[in-house]
Amino acid sequence: MGYIFVTFRSRTTSSQAYNFLQSKGINCSLFSTPKQVAVGCGVSVRFAENDFSSVLGQLGRNHPNFVGYFRVSDSSKGRVVTPI
């Protein structure tokens, strides 16, 4: 099963986004950004695919430290990371 994560240019912003989403009742976690995505600060916020519309509505894409949203899925060739 796949998941989505959002990454930022600073660890502080990633932590703030995590705390904000938690306060809104969205189940998420901080984790090391997958090596396939060589951008951002190295720490991202991970959440379930079915929460994407809620997260997008809460965080958007306009924060100055925003890098992007990415979908992680498994295929016969291994893990696939796709920008959203």
Side-chain angles (χ1 to χ4, degrees):
M1 181 172 169
Y3 59 90
I4 295 177
F5 67 92
V6 59
T7 190
F8 299 92
R9 288 185 180 87
S10 83
R11 290 174 183 258
T12 300
T13 305
S14 292
S15 181
Q16 290 169 343
Y18 165 77
N19 289 328
F20 178 73
L21 292 174
Q22 286 282 331
S23 75
K24 298 296 182 182
I26 297 172
N27 187 23
C28 58
S29 60
L30 287 173
F31 80 118
S32 295
T33 305
K35 63 183 176 185
Q36 293 93 328
V37 180
V39 295
C41 66
V43 176
S44 296
V45 182
R46 174 182 173 159
F47 52 91
E49 286 189 72
N50 59 351
D51 288 330
F52 180 59
S53 62
S54 297
V55 171
L56 187 59
Q58 295 293 331
L59 295 180
R61 297 177 187 262
N62 295 322
H63 192 281
N65 285 325
F66 173 79
V67 173
Y69 291 98
F70 298 85
R71 177 175 283 114
V72 178
S73 56
D74 294 321
S75 75
S76 60
K77 297 180 181 180
R79 182 186 300 178
V80 177
V81 180
T82 309
I84 300 175

